[in-house]
Amino acid sequence: MGYSGDEIAVVGLAGRFPGAPDVPSLWRNLLDGVDAVHDHTDDELRALGVPESLIADPGLVRGHGRLAGVADFDAAFFDVPEAEARLMDPQQRLFVEQSWVALQDAAVDPADPGRAVGVFAGASANRYFLFRLPAGTEDWEDRLAARWAPDYLPAQVAYRLGLTGPALAVQTACSSSLVAVCTAAQNLLDFRCDVALAGGVSVTEPRFRHTPGGLVSPDGRCRAFDADGQGSGYGSGVAVVVLERLADALERGAQVYAVLRGWAVNNDGAARAGFAVPGLDGQVAVVAEALASTGLTGADIGYVEAHGSGTPVGDAIEVAALAQAFGGSAGPCALGSVKSNLGNLDAAAGVAGLVKAVLAVRDGMIPATLHHDVPNPEADLAGGPFFVPVKTTGWARPDRRAGVSSFGLGGTNAHVVVERAPLDPPRPAPAGPRALVVSARTPEALRLLAARLAARLAAEPGLRLDDVAHTLAGRARYACRAVRTCPDLPSAIAWLDGVAAGGPVEDAEVGRVPGGRVVPLPHHPLHPRRHWVEVAP
């Protein structure tokens, strides 16, 4: 099927997840079936400031998807005063950092005057403030009421990175980040921005209790679509995608991970058993609308990254809704949930699922869904087209299209249809030397970045020099720069090794390379330091 002109390209990815410091590490863990939920000991809980009364509570859920380095932040790089960084919501710090990483990955310079960059994001409640900044802290009331609330997350990103497009907070509980993606995509189609950052962040601690019939499982594991499902535990994480109109992305030689073909957002309204209960009709409608916007049917979808909360009722409703929306034409379709690996990332859950689906259609691999042994008897898996893969498998169909669902408590639903990126047409061999530019904020960072780039080029001799030059030229420019025209990859490696060793550098204006493509390269090094308020249990 050809393109209509309404497609959106995913041109950059960034994130930090339980057990994974970046997106490539997450993908390896998913393919390997890694359970990243950690069971906390009493001493670990005490170190987090969890009260003794809660540690002794048999209902405490010790399994939690913990995020390494959540207290660390490179305040100097993002021009945040040290005192402010210590009191700043870690969710905002993480999202600012990963937004910048995502723009580096996409080779988008936010200072480009011809490109308006928007940011659309959601965050969980500021638990750092609740647990670590008690009343009486300096400027407590001001910090509670002003910029530390989730409402200010996109504005912080826009201010710290110099973004001039729309900056909109999206707060729809667990569906926040996927609704943010849909909002960003629509803003791109409306030409309200040229590039959009979209995603979510959640920082939680293992302070949740299990109650029978509730949403939180007793061990913190999510058993999506399984007979033993009792909900899911929580985890901390952040993920950001960079979106661009597909035609624009192809014209500038962007790295297109995947294509968003369609999306929809709605609410269940009152047609459900309670405020916290999902609605069948709303889920059917949101999936059907997203499919209809693409001209596709359920038969065209080979994988659904489901909301998959692991509750008996929620999973049964989701399977029934997908079956109705897909109709009788649907063929075999895999059903998965990243919550089985990471726990529920709350405001970041939807975009985490999107990242998984994007990489699945890119690489043609569908990761296993963990903790699935016996199908939930309330979910009609045996009688429909859906199955839960318990082993990582290759994509069974030549076309690669996936659906991604996220349903927020309160009834706000989102569904996105993702498709494999168009194949890169054959290109002639690169001709002539290319000017490479390496840019950093300090001489030390310049040398470290040069060393990392040299190592990457040496490890991947198949990289094209014109693509390397094109990628580096598209990134943000900083005060310390080194430029050299190199005839081939070995000479580029030798020059970068010289810069890394502190050799002389030259500077000049460098533009993008006609016909070049953006490729994954190391980004500017960050030097995070601990900014954290310690509390006694």
Side-chain angles (χ1 to χ4, degrees), residues 454-466:
R456 175 63 62 85
L457 301 190
E460 298 186 37
L463 283 173
R464 291 172 54 122
L465 187 63
D466 55 344

Side-chain angles (χ1 to χ4, degrees), residues 406-418:
S406 190
F407 309 135
L409 191 151
T412 299
N413 308 309
H415 190 80
V416 175
V417 178
V418 184

Side-chain angles (χ1 to χ4, degrees), residues 307-401:
H307 182 70
S309 63
T311 63
V313 173
D315 285 356
I317 290 175
E318 184 166 10
V319 172
L322 284 169
Q324 287 191 38
F326 275 34
S329 63
C333 181
L335 199 60
S337 174
V338 75
K339 292 181 179 70
S340 71
N341 303 87
L342 308 178
N344 184 353
L345 300 190
D346 194 45
V351 71
L354 176 64
V355 169
K356 176 185 172 184
V358 163
L359 297 174
V361 298
R362 182 194 68 174
D363 291 352
M365 299 296 293
I366 298 177
T369 293
L370 307 185
H371 317 302
H372 184 84
D373 298 313
V374 178
N376 176 356
E378 302 299 322
D380 187 16
L381 291 173
F386 303 104
F387 66 96
V388 179
V390 295
K391 294 182 179 180
T392 295
T393 59
W395 207 278
R397 307 161 58 138
D399 55 348
R400 300 180 196 164
R401 298 189 185 96

Side-chain angles (χ1 to χ4, degrees), residues 120-487:
F120 307 82
S124 297
N126 184 351
R127 291 176 173 86
Y128 181 74
F129 189 96
L130 295 175
F131 297 140
R132 298 180 180 274
L133 301 180
T137 301
E138 182 183 0
D139 297 331
W140 182 83
E141 292 184 359
D142 174 64
R143 297 184 189 284
L144 174 64
R147 57 191 177 276
W148 310 124
D151 315 47
Y152 298 89
L153 172 63
Q156 277 280 11
V157 176
Y159 177 65
R160 301 299 173 187
L161 303 186
L163 311 182
T164 59
L168 303 181
V170 179
Q171 297 298 137
T172 61
C174 298
S175 63
S176 294
S177 55
L178 198 64
V179 174
V181 169
C182 297
T183 306
Q186 196 60 50
N187 270 258
L188 285 165
L189 289 190
D190 292 342
F191 288 84
R192 300 184 186 279
C193 54
D194 302 300
V195 175
L197 293 162
V201 58
S202 181
V203 173
T204 57
E205 295 183 356
R207 297 173 183 251
F208 298 93
R209 297 183 69 258
H210 167 71
T211 57
L215 301 177
V216 184
S217 65
D219 63 355
R221 268 70 180 181
C222 176
R223 294 170 172 81
F225 309 107
D226 190 83
D228 289 334
Q230 300 183 64
S232 61
Y234 282 88
S236 298
V238 54
V240 186
V241 297
V242 184
L243 306 178
E244 189 174 11
R245 291 179 291 272
L246 178 60
D248 294 345
L250 296 176
E251 183 179 0
R252 77 171 179 93
Q255 173 186 215
V256 179
Y257 285 95
V259 175
L260 306 187
R261 290 294 302 265
W263 51 88
V265 177
N266 72 3
N267 191 275
D268 291 326
R272 46 195 162 128
F275 180 78
V277 179
L280 175 66
D281 293 344
Q283 291 187 20
V284 173
V286 79
V287 175
E289 181 182 345
L291 281 172
S293 72
T294 67
L296 301 170
T297 69
D300 298 305
I301 307 299
Y303 173 66
V304 172
E305 174 60 24
H307 182 70
S309 63
T311 63
V313 173
D315 285 356
I317 290 175
E318 184 166 10
V319 172
L322 284 169
Q324 287 191 38
F326 275 34
S329 63
C333 181
L335 199 60
S337 174
V338 75
K339 292 181 179 70
S340 71
N341 303 87
L342 308 178
N344 184 353
L345 300 190
D346 194 45
V351 71
L354 176 64
V355 169
K356 176 185 172 184
V358 163
L359 297 174
V361 298
R362 182 194 68 174
D363 291 352
M365 299 296 293
I366 298 177
T369 293
L370 307 185
H371 317 302
H372 184 84
D373 298 313
V374 178
N376 176 356
E378 302 299 322
D380 187 16
L381 291 173
F386 303 104
F387 66 96
V388 179
V390 295
K391 294 182 179 180
T392 295
T393 59
W395 207 278
R397 307 161 58 138
D399 55 348
R400 300 180 196 164
R401 298 189 185 96
V404 183
S405 292
S406 190
F407 309 135
L409 191 151
T412 299
N413 308 309
H415 190 80
V416 175
V417 178
V418 184
E419 183 176 83
R420 181 184 185 182
L423 298 177
D424 198 6
R427 292 184 288 160
R434 298 297 181 188
L436 304 184
V437 56
V438 184
S439 175
R441 292 192 67 166
T442 66
E444 295 78 9
L446 182 69
R447 291 194 290 270
L448 181 56
L449 177 57
R452 291 177 177 177
L453 287 168
R456 175 63 62 85
L457 301 190
E460 298 186 37
L463 283 173
R464 291 172 54 122
L465 187 63
D466 55 344
D467 291 345
V468 174
H470 183 73
T471 303
L472 295 175
R475 290 180 168 180
R477 307 290 178 89
Y478 297 104
C480 298
R481 286 158 46 87
V483 177
R484 174 67 62 87
T485 299
C486 301

